[in-house]
Amino acid sequence: MSSRRTQLATQLAAALRQRRHLLPHGFASDRAARSIARCYGERADGVSAFWIARPRPAEDDGRPSEDEEVFEVLRADGRLGVWEAGSRDEAEVIADALTALSL
């Protein structure tokens, strides 16, 4: 992992730990931070934006699935997704941490 990615993962892990009371019990902040930093590092284009949480679209028609409880965290412009969460709350906490870090 590059030094920039390592720094990003460290910052994000700290931000998630500060919000641990809002995340599911046992949420692996360090592992999530490394995964998000890897996705961001591989696909980022240098454009900062707000991050949002939304239901992951269904495969066939593009609308959110009512059967699945999977939410994605992505940049508000929709071009960079970095995390699939098991709940809207988890996704919103991660999106808030990314926005607070101005990534």
Side-chain angles (χ1 to χ4, degrees), residues 5-33:
R5 236 187 268 180
T6 300
Q7 180 183 13
L8 173 60
T10 301
Q11 290 175 317
L12 183 53
L16 292 175
R17 281 193 295 275
Q18 289 175 343
R19 295 163 172 80
R20 69 178 163 255
H21 62 285
L22 301 171
L23 291 163
H25 178 71
F27 182 81
S29 296
D30 292 336
R31 186 181 56 122

Side-chain angles (χ1 to χ4, degrees), residues 32-94:
R34 285 191 305 273
S35 176
I36 292 168
R38 186 188 74 250
C39 288
Y40 185 82
E42 290 172 358
R43 295 183 277 159
D45 59 8
V47 178
S48 294
F50 289 103
W51 293 80
I52 60 170
R54 71 175 185 192
R56 187 177 68 194
E59 296 293 325
D60 53 349
D61 63 3
R63 292 184 308 198
S65 171
E66 294 179 16
D67 299 333
E68 293 183 17
E69 288 294 314
V70 176
F71 297 85
E72 57 186 356
V73 177
L74 66 157
R75 222 170 45 191
D77 63 11
R79 292 185 297 170
L80 180 65
V82 294
W83 188 253
E84 290 184 351
S87 72
R88 179 177 294 278
D89 289 344
E90 179 184 316
E92 287 178 351
V93 169
I94 293 170

